[in-house]
Amino acid sequence: MSAQATTAVKKPNRAEEKLRAFHEEDAMGKAYDTRLVRRLVPFVRPHVRFLVLSFASLACLTGLNLLKPIVMGDVVRRANASDAQGLVRDGVYLSLLVVGGQLLTLAQLYTMQVTGARAMADLRAHIFLFFQSLQLRFFDRTPVGRLVTRASNDVDAVGELFASGVLNAAGDLISLVGIVAMMLLLDWRLSLIAFAAIPIVGAIVQYVRKRSREAFRDIRAKTARLNAFLNEQVNGISVVQAYSREDATAGEFDAINHAYLDANKRSIYYEAMLDAAIEMVSTLCIASVLWWAGLKRMGDISFPLVVTFTQYIKQFFEPISQLSQRYTVLQSAMAGAERIFQLLDEKDIDGVLSTEAEKAPEGPPDEALALLDVNFEYKPGVPVLKDVSLSAKRGEKIALVGATGAGKSTVASLFLRLYEVNSGFARVFGKDVRTYDRHALREQFSVVPQDVYLFTGTVLSNIAMSDPTPDRAKAEEALRRIGALELFERRNGLDAEVDERGANFSAGERQLIAFARAVYRDAPILVLDEATASVDSDTEARLQVALDAVMADRTALVIAHRLSTIKAVDRIIVFHKGRIAEAGTHDELLARQGVYARLYRMQYAHERVEAGDSLPGGLKEIAAGESPPFSRRSV
Ligand SMILES: Nc1ncnc2c1ncn2[C@@H]1O[C@H](COP(=O)(O)OP(=O)(O)OP(=O)(O)O)[C@@H](O)[C@H]1O
């Protein structure tokens, strides 16, 4: 282990603390929980025909295995009697048993695992659809790593029920009963010698089971931590490299990786211990039977009987050893199922307003957007919007301005119902947003968000993402309208590949694609949240002209820091610490000499300094000493 890792182990580091939540949630439940099994049934039911085939094969296989020792004993008897014909017949029987057994094993494993793979694919799809129906509030408080673990590792843990043959435990039990019956029928005294080993095996299994269960729980917790850490660090790799945190991060990873390795080593140790112990006990048992047979100088115990009996003893310990391993898998599957269903029971579902809940009174026919006395907080006790009321008529363009963190983007999120108001109402086209079907509501909006997110694919698939069948001509037209067609044509146009998160495009190019995406969608309301923050001044000027055309017959909500970009809107609403400080046109607000006028003057002064102009008296000081309250994101 590296030096950093050693330090990291001693002192809980940032990742350790942040990921402790995974430990806490990772309680190992019961090994078998009927409630959870019942909830898994709907995912297995559509594939039940495979399961029936599997159990039928298993029953036949168990029967065939019980016959094998008898034939072996017969082989010895016929060999003793030099019965060549009988030996040939036994050879044929044995071959049939082996070939038949292998064919049945093949059928049994295949059908069982196909059932599991299909059921787990359905479960994963269900979880993914469920993620999409959750409100953003849920994702704010849940680490991505945990959600990824739910849809991957936890589903895999449940799938192990099928893959590792836990359900074959039914077959194990049947064969155990069959073996015991056959042994007793053959010779009850030899059987008693074999059964004397049961308490010893029981004690070993109990000792190992408890410890391997803890090791297993630890592995699951450490897997979740590993996933969460990798997810965060890979996403933030550019920052890690820029701030030369590679060594520190490697140290943190080393600690987490070693903890994972240790948990695995413990689990491997106990599994190996169990295998070796059961093998030893079974060999001792065989030795005792041989000793007893020798002591009695065979007497009424024949040589073929001893051979048959030792074969049964071997078969007797096999399911016992497997039962204990399957118990661990069963327990981890139940823990996985419990975590999955806990997630699926989540209440933050993005639904339609229930009929009893109070809804906003209907708005006037010409109203496009309205907030009525809205209060909102992301986290309880931290108000973000306070008593906010505003409205925009159809076709009206309004701008929201205010300092960083004043609550402007939050207003847009409330209209799209990405978050729910705590009190008051949000209305779109005169209707409470909660009375809409969420798709119908969001179809009213074209959004250019502050943080553009591109998906792996092509420029076309990203521009036309609102369309199940992307229309090339329409996407090209969208790029042309925003004046960016030429820029993209230089790099393979609409077919240019987009890497994960659009990493192979500049921030400005990503913003242009987001613009084209909004134009393509062609919705009646346009939301531009700092939409030109990442493009150069030339591109911005061209965009502005294009935008005026796009906005012409639409309602628009423009969020901007650069006040020069919003002079032409119909109304400007100024936010200050979550409240509306003032509202009016650019000229009205300047004339009022309030917050907007002050902000505008400061920004104007700052721009003049950057441009190298001389400043009017008084503004020089502001420009030199005071940074503008609006952050400038463009260069
Ligand atoms: N998902 C979230 N969870 C918790 N708090 C949040 C969340 N999103 C925003 N906030 C907080 O709400 C406040 C308002 O955020 P919002 O993004 O609306 O501000 P804004 O005016 O758009 O700021 P900016 O100009 O920087 O984009 C901020 O204090 C922010 O920290």
Side-chain angles (χ1 to χ4, degrees), residues 527-550:
V527 175
L528 307 176
D529 190 349
E530 284 297 311
T532 55
S534 304
V535 294
D536 62 61
S537 319
D538 261 9
T539 312
E540 183 179 8
R542 270 186 286 127
L543 260 178
Q544 202 62 51
V545 177
L547 266 180
D548 290 343
V550 173

Side-chain angles (χ1 to χ4, degrees), residues 422-486:
N422 290 101
S423 69
F425 303 104
R427 262 191 329 228
V428 169
F429 291 128
K431 273 173 63 183
D432 191 314
V433 289
R434 291 169 300 167
T435 58
Y436 276 93
D437 162 75
R438 66 191 156 113
H439 295 298
L441 172 69
R442 289 164 194 168
E443 266 168 12
Q444 308 302 319
F445 293 88
S446 285
V447 185
V448 182
Q450 197 167 19
D451 302 313
V452 174
Y453 198 98
L454 298 188
F455 294 88
T456 314
T458 60
V459 169
L460 174 64
S461 68
N462 271 283
I463 293 179
M465 64 174 294
S466 53
D467 202 344
T469 45
D471 181 337
R472 284 186 79 85
K474 198 171 155 191
E476 218 165 75
E477 180 54 26
L479 278 177
R480 186 175 296 114
R481 278 190 85 177
I482 62 164
L485 185 60
E486 212 179 299

Side-chain angles (χ1 to χ4, degrees), residues 140 378-379 384 402-411 419 450 529-530 559 561 631 633:
D140 289 344
Y378 287 101
K379 293 201 168 131
V384 170
T404 293
K408 307 175 297 287
S409 304
T410 305
V411 169
Y419 294 90
Q450 197 167 19
D529 190 349
E530 284 297 311
I559 299 170
H561 282 130
S631 65
R633 299 190 176 193

Side-chain angles (χ1 to χ4, degrees), residues 64 68 89-104:
L64 281 194
K68 239 192 260 169
R89 221 179 11 253
D90 278 348
V92 172
Y93 290 155
L94 261 183
S95 316
L96 285 178
L97 282 179
V98 171
V99 173
Q102 289 306 319
L103 288 176
L104 282 170

